Amino acid sequence: MSVERLKEVREAFLRDLDAAGADTDAIEKVRIQYAGRKSGLLQELTAVLKQLPNDQKREYGAALNDLKKAVAAALDEAKKRGASAGVGDKTSGVDITLPGRRRSRGAEHPVHLVRKRIESIFLRMGYTVEDGPEVEDDWHNFEALNLPPDHPARDDQDTFYLTGGSLLRTHTSPVQTRVMERQKPPIRIIVPGRVYRRDSDLRHSPMFHQIEGLVVDEGITFGHLKATLETFLRALFSDRVEVQFRPSYFPFTEPSAEVDITCIFCEGSGCGVCSNSGWIEILGSGMVDPRVFAKVGVDADRYTGFAFGLGLDRVAMLQYGIPDLRQMFAGDQRLTRQFE
Ligand code: PHE
């Protein structure tokens, strides 16, 4: 045995390891063959050392140590190669280089976003949020709101009637009558909810959303109505909007007013959205008609009140530039995803 033999072993080892490439099993075999603890070649070569004549021990020992280090280093390298080759290897079962599966996050619907904003404005002003049934009776939706049986708003064209005399509420106003029937003034509520009308085009959908407001107390005047709605509309849209009250008619309010804001797109100078008028109609309002108070049992000599109603969908369309109302209820995620 000589240093020559060590050289041969080194060459054979490097050749075998090279042949193993990045195959971790093959590398392991090479390791066992050369550096295995029990019967590896290096073990044998170490045993030889003891039998050598003293004058050869020194040279052989040094060369053997050298070889051991080289083998260990080369095996380390090879193992690393094997480990990184295993990544991305589809046959190993798990491919950790594939992109992760994306978990889709839900998005809040634009109408819901608008509702939350409006609610928070009125909650700050001391209002509470009320709720009522979508399947209504004639009394609360019409009769108690001073809509006599021959009123055009009761036309079959507008109302979805259900069997047994109930109907799908055509506005959120029936919750006014429900709350006044069961609660003594002071009343200060807003009522968001779904409403239904037999109508469908760019600006109408058979189901849409309204938010109703009602304030009843002693000494409530039109001034309170005006200041409240101005404050609300400026908080919702912008400090810069001007608010305009136009005389109007609703059976359940007297006097009544429709409320416009200066167009939020052209700021009043005229554009496509406001049909060049500079104004956008945004809500209906008025002082609660004493006849309504009489129907629901509120003392009209003692109390006055105001009410208003607006379309949430319309506000969402304006704020987010959605051109077709029906798009909002089509369930198309390309719309809702934009609100993530
Ligand atoms: N309910 C009315 C509508 O749907 C809006 C409104 C509510 C008007 C309250 C006045 C007072 O058009």
Side-chain angles (χ1 to χ4, degrees), residues 170-173 176 197 210 212-213 250 252-253 284-286 307-309:
T170 56
H171 48 182
T172 41
S173 303
Q176 283 191 40
R197 287 182 200 177
Q210 287 188 334
E212 190 87 6
F250 298 102
F252 34 93
T253 49
S285 66
F308 56 90

Side-chain angles (χ1 to χ4, degrees), residues 175-209:
V175 186
Q176 283 191 40
T177 49
R178 286 182 175 276
V179 171
M180 285 190 284
E181 277 173 343
R182 66 166 186 253
Q183 187 186 320
K184 278 201 173 318
I187 292 169
R188 205 180 283 116
I189 58 162
I190 48 162
V191 185
R194 292 198 175 103
V195 302
Y196 302 85
R197 287 182 200 177
R198 297 179 56 172
D199 223 344
S200 183
D201 60 40
L202 274 182
R203 291 172 62 176
H204 297 92
S205 142
M207 184 285 298
F208 59 105
H209 301 80

Side-chain angles (χ1 to χ4, degrees), residues 46-318:
T46 307
V48 167
L49 183 63
K50 286 179 202 143
Q51 286 136 39
L52 280 179
N54 277 345
D55 60 335
Q56 286 178 31
K57 269 186 185 160
R58 186 181 256 278
E59 193 196 2
Y60 183 88
L64 181 62
N65 264 340
D66 209 46
L67 175 61
K68 280 181 179 170
K69 273 186 208 155
V71 166
L75 280 171
D76 260 7
E77 270 304 302
K79 273 186 204 155
K80 272 183 211 155
R81 241 190 296 139
S84 59
V87 171
D89 170 8
K90 292 196 185 87
T91 58
S92 71
V94 180
D95 183 350
I96 64 168
T97 65
L98 281 175
R101 257 182 225 138
R102 205 179 274 270
R103 252 171 222 259
S104 66
R105 266 204 280 133
E108 289 178 305
H109 193 277
V111 171
H112 180 73
L113 292 172
V114 166
R115 194 192 94 182
K116 282 205 307 193
R117 284 197 55 210
I118 295 179
E119 282 182 7
S120 84
I121 294 168
F122 280 103
L123 288 172
R124 266 183 272 147
M125 295 201 267
Y127 286 63
T128 53
V129 180
E130 283 287 345
D131 201 4
E134 288 172 31
V135 174
E136 257 303 357
D137 52 48
D138 189 88
W139 169 260
H140 291 99
N141 195 79
F142 291 133
E143 189 76 44
L145 287 167
N146 195 32
L147 273 134
D150 55 355
H151 195 279
R154 289 181 162 225
D155 198 302
D156 279 348
Q157 299 271 303
D158 295 325
T159 310
F160 287 106
Y161 286 99
L162 305 171
T163 51
S166 40
L167 47 86
L168 294 178
R169 67 180 178 192
T170 56
H171 48 182
T172 41
S173 303
V175 186
Q176 283 191 40
T177 49
R178 286 182 175 276
V179 171
M180 285 190 284
E181 277 173 343
R182 66 166 186 253
Q183 187 186 320
K184 278 201 173 318
I187 292 169
R188 205 180 283 116
I189 58 162
I190 48 162
V191 185
R194 292 198 175 103
V195 302
Y196 302 85
R197 287 182 200 177
R198 297 179 56 172
D199 223 344
S200 183
D201 60 40
L202 274 182
R203 291 172 62 176
H204 297 92
S205 142
M207 184 285 298
F208 59 105
H209 301 80
Q210 287 188 334
I211 195 157
E212 190 87 6
L214 173 70
V215 172
V216 182
D217 203 352
E218 290 178 19
I220 298 293
T221 68
F222 199 93
H224 294 121
L225 161 67
K226 194 162 180 274
T228 302
L229 293 181
E230 270 175 7
T231 306
F232 158 60
L233 291 170
R234 294 207 172 114
L236 181 60
F237 291 106
S238 125
D239 286 343
R240 291 193 306 277
V241 298
E242 295 293 331
V243 179
Q244 159 178 291
F245 290 75
R246 265 183 302 107
S248 184
Y249 171 78
F250 298 102
F252 34 93
T253 49
E254 182 60 31
S256 303
E258 269 174 319
V259 180
D260 305 330
I261 55 166
T262 40
C263 178
I264 55 172
F265 295 99
C266 63
E267 301 208 332
S269 58
C271 68
V273 176
C274 60
S275 323
N276 283 314
S277 71
W279 295 95
I280 293 177
E281 188 189 316
I282 209 77
L283 56 79
S285 66
M287 301 304 290
V288 178
D289 194 308
R291 289 205 230 187
V292 174
F293 281 151
K295 302 232 187 214
V296 296
V298 170
D299 181 355
D301 291 330
R302 183 168 170 199
Y303 296 108
T304 49
F306 67 80
F308 56 90
L310 74 153
L312 290 179
D313 320 273
R314 182 140 167 65
V315 174
M317 286 170 79
L318 284 173

